[in-house]
Amino acid sequence: MARLTAASMETIFHRSVMMAQGTCSPAEYQRMVAEKVAAMQASTLALMTGRGTAAVMAPYLNRTRANAKRLRSKS
C-alpha cells in the first residue's frame, strides 16, 4: 500500500503541474480514464477468481508505478 500511495502521489503531482501549466495533452486525459478502467477490470477478475489481495492490488500498483516513471522522465 505504501508503494501504491507514493506512486499515486507522484503521478497526481506531475499531472496537476501539467494541468496548471496547460501542457496536459488530450491523450494524457484519455489515459487517465482508460488506465483506471483497465486496472479495475483486471483487479475485479483477480478478486472473482480468488487470487488474493496482492493480485487484486497489482493492476493498480503496476500502472501507477509505470505512470510515475513515465511522467518523471518528462519533467
Side-chain angles (χ1 to χ4, degrees), residues 16 45 53 74:
S16 295
L45 181 61
T53 305
K74 285 186 172 186

PDB file of all heavy atoms in Angstrom, residues 16 45 53 74:
ATOM      1  N   SER A  16      -1.005  17.229 -12.120  1.00  0.00           N
ATOM      2  CA  SER A  16      -1.531  18.515 -11.652  1.00  0.00           C
ATOM      3  C   SER A  16      -0.694  19.673 -12.181  1.00  0.00           C
ATOM      4  O   SER A  16      -1.236  20.704 -12.593  1.00  0.00           O
ATOM      5  CB  SER A  16      -1.565  18.557 -10.123  1.00  0.00           C
ATOM      6  OG  SER A  16      -2.466  17.607  -9.623  1.00  0.00           O
ATOM      7  N   LEU A  45     -11.269  -9.176 -11.962  1.00  0.00           N
ATOM      8  CA  LEU A  45     -11.035 -10.559 -12.373  1.00  0.00           C
ATOM      9  C   LEU A  45     -10.221 -11.315 -11.317  1.00  0.00           C
ATOM     10  O   LEU A  45     -10.548 -12.449 -10.962  1.00  0.00           O
ATOM     11  CB  LEU A  45     -10.314 -10.602 -13.720  1.00  0.00           C
ATOM     12  CG  LEU A  45     -10.017 -11.998 -14.276  1.00  0.00           C
ATOM     13  CD1 LEU A  45     -11.315 -12.770 -14.502  1.00  0.00           C
ATOM     14  CD2 LEU A  45      -9.227 -11.892 -15.562  1.00  0.00           C
ATOM     15  N   THR A  53      -5.196 -10.728  -2.136  1.00  0.00           N
ATOM     16  CA  THR A  53      -5.104  -9.279  -2.055  1.00  0.00           C
ATOM     17  C   THR A  53      -4.009  -8.709  -2.950  1.00  0.00           C
ATOM     18  O   THR A  53      -4.209  -7.699  -3.626  1.00  0.00           O
ATOM     19  CB  THR A  53      -4.857  -8.850  -0.596  1.00  0.00           C
ATOM     20  OG1 THR A  53      -5.888  -9.400   0.220  1.00  0.00           O
ATOM     21  CG2 THR A  53      -4.873  -7.341  -0.462  1.00  0.00           C
ATOM     22  N   LYS A  74       9.536  12.938 -18.169  1.00  0.00           N
ATOM     23  CA  LYS A  74       9.104  14.093 -18.953  1.00  0.00           C
ATOM     24  C   LYS A  74       9.493  15.405 -18.285  1.00  0.00           C
ATOM     25  O   LYS A  74       9.534  16.442 -18.932  1.00  0.00           O
ATOM     26  CB  LYS A  74       7.589  14.083 -19.169  1.00  0.00           C
ATOM     27  CG  LYS A  74       7.118  13.083 -20.172  1.00  0.00           C
ATOM     28  CD  LYS A  74       5.634  13.259 -20.400  1.00  0.00           C
ATOM     29  CE  LYS A  74       5.162  12.403 -21.543  1.00  0.00           C
ATOM     30  NZ  LYS A  74       3.763  12.658 -21.868  1.00  0.00           N
TER      31      LYS A  74
END
